[in-house]
Amino acid sequence: MKKNFKQFWKLGKKEFNTDQFDINADGELIIREGNYQYNVYDLARKFGHSIKILMPFVLEQRLAKLTDIFSGSIKQAGYKGRFTYHFPMKVNQNKEVVLPLIAEGAHLEATSANELWVVKKMWEGENFHAKIRVLCNGPKTSQYLNLIQHLEGKDLTITPIIESPEEAELLKDFKGERGVRLNLDLKVNSHWDKKIDRFGLSEEEILSLGKMRNLKVLHYHMGCQMTVENDIIAALREAFKTYVKVRRQNPSLDTIDIGGGMAVNFEKKELYRTESVVKRIVTTLKDLSDRAGIPHPNIITEWGSYIAAPSQMTVFKIVGSKNIAKGVAQKWYIIDGSFMTDLLDTWSIHQKWHVIPVNHMDAKKKERVWLTGLTCDSDDKYADADGHVLLPRLEDMAHGEDMYIAVLDTGAYQDAFAMHHCLISSPAKIVLQNGLVTVARKRESPEEIGKLFGW
Ligand SMILES: *Cc1c(COP(=O)(O)O)cnc(C)c1O
């Protein structure tokens, strides 16, 4: 019986990143970390709602697994280049996320002066090794440039990525290593790959920059959530053509950085396997560089969501319901939080999530519902791809018992996107690690929010 419910809610499956989840005998959601376990229903009642539950052990496991897969493929193919993982900080800048990833061997990618300021803070706190390399993307404002210069002087490997001819000029006297960003003329299946965008330089523009001092990295980034495996390989093949030409002018070039975009299985449907993608990246690069007669490039990936999204869930209490007269769903369930303020991608890109109950997971009768938040905005709502969400019925709850739901895979982007429409408080954040539960952030108080608006 329990097994059927586990299957129904798509838990306990590696390919869905739900292998750490289970259901206990009382029909409650359980998180497993090795032999430790946490009861989400208890956590929600103890720490209040809404809460974000971060699982750093998931980050560590995912990065360790990815590194293993790359080493395996590199060994098997007899590939001579190295693999390095850079965590794109914009995906999740929280201390509780960045530090465990660094401990697990991640290097970093920053997009702004303020993200690089976080790096400076970590460096000053001696939280990390000077061997860490930080790639710096994004427009190089004077504040950003000053920080790049400052930190490079401190023996960190700070590698600015040149995105325009002006930046090439501004960085002319920079002593450290540098990279250049290629704007590939190729369209892939990703919401973010626009026909025309402002990132990077065309091949011609890069070649016209001539010889660049200490050029090490050719970088490109197609967009997030690339769900077609062939797109990832097609982009690599296209970029390699430029790599060969740029290397002729700059023999120091030894690394290709394929950016982010490895997809997350948000909807728990068919998706490519990481092993397959990685193997194809390595064998494609081996094949192409052998044919071009150049050394195998080092490989960098900046797969952010892929590593971070499954490491967090957001738990809401259902605080009310309303009948729907005409619709594919029967009821509105109102959450104690908001899709607009807490999970902004629901609104901005119509992100689909895997929503599951936290208690009564073994309910036989379920209801088709639409979820809605506390703001007064008609866009503050959620339904999955079938046009509704299936959840237990409120009338089946025992007297005085509340219903909680969990939205899975919320560890990428949503924290930094949080906003204050209708002055809704951001959820509290708790961290599960080594069997211990710690509160990283309390739920925002009215005073804290009021202050942001001058009250
Ligand atoms: C956003 C971004 C990433 C991360 O993308 P994901 O889809 O989260 O993997 C990596 N590199 C660059 C340059 C980016 O802009």
Side-chain angles (χ1 to χ4, degrees), residues 88 90-91 109 137 181 219 221 224 260-261 302-305 413:
K90 77 160 191 270
V91 171
E109 184 258 348
N137 270 306
R181 179 158 174 173
H219 167 55
H221 169 74
C224 299
E302 302 172 356
W303 292 343
S305 321
Y413 299 103

Side-chain angles (χ1 to χ4, degrees), residues 41 44-45 49 316-320 358-360 394 397-405:
Y41 183 44
R45 283 182 299 176
H49 43 80
F316 298 105
K317 182 166 121 175
I318 305 298
V319 290
V358 163
N359 51 336
H360 281 268
L394 281 171
M397 298 285 124
H399 183 69
E401 191 188 13
D402 292 313
M403 186 193 290
Y404 293 88
I405 60 166

Side-chain angles (χ1 to χ4, degrees), residues 292-394:
I294 59 168
H296 304 159
N298 297 321
I299 306 166
I300 289 177
T301 69
E302 302 172 356
W303 292 343
S305 321
Y306 172 83
I307 294 289
S311 71
Q312 183 168 293
M313 66 166 76
T314 308
V315 175
F316 298 105
K317 182 166 121 175
I318 305 298
V319 290
S321 74
K322 253 186 131 172
N323 287 330
I324 298 168
K326 276 182 271 169
V328 286
Q330 296 140 310
K331 282 218 166 90
W332 288 107
Y333 276 12
I334 304 162
I335 61 168
D336 181 30
S338 154
F339 288 96
M340 286 181 97
T341 66
D342 306 334
L343 299 168
L344 186 100
D345 274 341
T346 319
W347 175 44
S348 62
I349 54 163
H350 304 290
Q351 170 79 54
K352 297 299 173 196
W353 309 97
H354 185 40
V355 179
I356 57 175
V358 163
N359 51 336
H360 281 268
M361 297 190 82
D362 52 358
K364 286 194 202 82
K365 290 198 177 141
K366 287 175 239 353
E367 195 141 52
R368 289 174 165 208
V369 306
W370 284 340
L371 295 169
T372 182
L374 294 177
T375 71
C376 63
D377 208 298
S378 59
D379 281 337
D380 194 354
K381 62 179 180 196
Y382 177 75
D384 69 19
D386 301 326
H388 61 267
V389 177
L390 215 50
L391 285 173
R393 306 189 313 175
L394 281 171

Side-chain angles (χ1 to χ4, degrees), residues 125-406:
E126 297 176 0
N127 277 125
F128 76 49
H129 206 278
K131 278 204 179 125
I132 294 260
R133 183 194 240 177
V134 185
L135 303 175
C136 298
N137 270 306
K140 313 295 179 299
T141 59
S142 56
Q143 189 198 4
Y144 198 5
L145 275 174
N146 287 343
L147 208 47
I148 289 172
Q149 302 274 11
H150 173 76
L151 287 174
E152 170 58 32
K154 302 270 181 277
D155 333 304
L156 284 166
T157 308
I158 302 289
T159 309
I161 305 290
I162 293 164
E163 299 195 34
S164 68
E166 291 74 30
E167 285 182 11
E169 190 55 35
L170 282 169
L171 284 157
K172 223 162 138 183
D173 298 322
F174 181 71
K175 294 204 179 59
E177 299 173 352
R178 72 201 68 209
V180 64
R181 179 158 174 173
L182 169 65
N183 192 353
L184 276 178
D185 190 15
L186 179 83
K187 188 87 183 78
V188 298
N189 292 285
S190 164
H191 166 83
W192 292 266
D193 186 26
K194 313 290 185 198
K195 214 168 179 168
I196 298 174
D197 70 36
R198 63 183 165 83
F199 306 108
L201 297 156
S202 68
E203 181 184 281
E204 296 73 59
E205 285 172 316
I206 296 177
L207 292 173
S208 73
L209 292 176
K211 192 161 160 48
M212 281 176 269
R213 176 177 181 171
N214 252 333
L215 181 70
K216 300 293 263 184
V217 183
L218 180 74
H219 167 55
Y220 67 90
H221 169 74
M222 300 302 293
C224 299
Q225 197 63 8
M226 290 166 68
T227 48
V228 178
E229 179 172 334
N230 281 339
D231 283 349
I232 300 175
I233 304 302
L236 180 64
R237 288 185 165 278
E238 201 56 31
F240 188 82
K241 292 182 195 159
T242 307
Y243 182 87
V244 175
K245 293 181 200 163
V246 178
R247 201 176 177 280
R248 257 182 234 133
Q249 287 182 351
N250 296 276
S252 57
L253 184 66
D254 64 5
T255 301
I256 190 156
D257 172 357
I258 72 174
M262 186 73 168
V264 177
N265 202 339
F266 287 109
E267 292 185 72
K268 316 305 177 204
K269 291 186 176 148
E270 276 292 296
L271 188 65
Y272 48 68
R273 292 178 60 240
T274 309
E275 285 82 353
S276 155
V277 176
V278 168
K279 192 173 170 176
R280 283 184 69 191
I281 289 171
V282 173
T283 52
T284 302
L285 275 179
K286 177 169 193 284
D287 198 41
L288 292 175
S289 36
D290 285 348
R291 271 196 266 163
I294 59 168
H296 304 159
N298 297 321
I299 306 166
I300 289 177
T301 69
E302 302 172 356
W303 292 343
S305 321
Y306 172 83
I307 294 289
S311 71
Q312 183 168 293
M313 66 166 76
T314 308
V315 175
F316 298 105
K317 182 166 121 175
I318 305 298
V319 290
S321 74
K322 253 186 131 172
N323 287 330
I324 298 168
K326 276 182 271 169
V328 286
Q330 296 140 310
K331 282 218 166 90
W332 288 107
Y333 276 12
I334 304 162
I335 61 168
D336 181 30
S338 154
F339 288 96
M340 286 181 97
T341 66
D342 306 334
L343 299 168
L344 186 100
D345 274 341
T346 319
W347 175 44
S348 62
I349 54 163
H350 304 290
Q351 170 79 54
K352 297 299 173 196
W353 309 97
H354 185 40
V355 179
I356 57 175
V358 163
N359 51 336
H360 281 268
M361 297 190 82
D362 52 358
K364 286 194 202 82
K365 290 198 177 141
K366 287 175 239 353
E367 195 141 52
R368 289 174 165 208
V369 306
W370 284 340
L371 295 169
T372 182
L374 294 177
T375 71
C376 63
D377 208 298
S378 59
D379 281 337
D380 194 354
K381 62 179 180 196
Y382 177 75
D384 69 19
D386 301 326
H388 61 267
V389 177
L390 215 50
L391 285 173
R393 306 189 313 175
L394 281 171
E395 63 256 45
D396 294 338
M397 298 285 124
H399 183 69
E401 191 188 13
D402 292 313
M403 186 193 290
Y404 293 88
I405 60 166

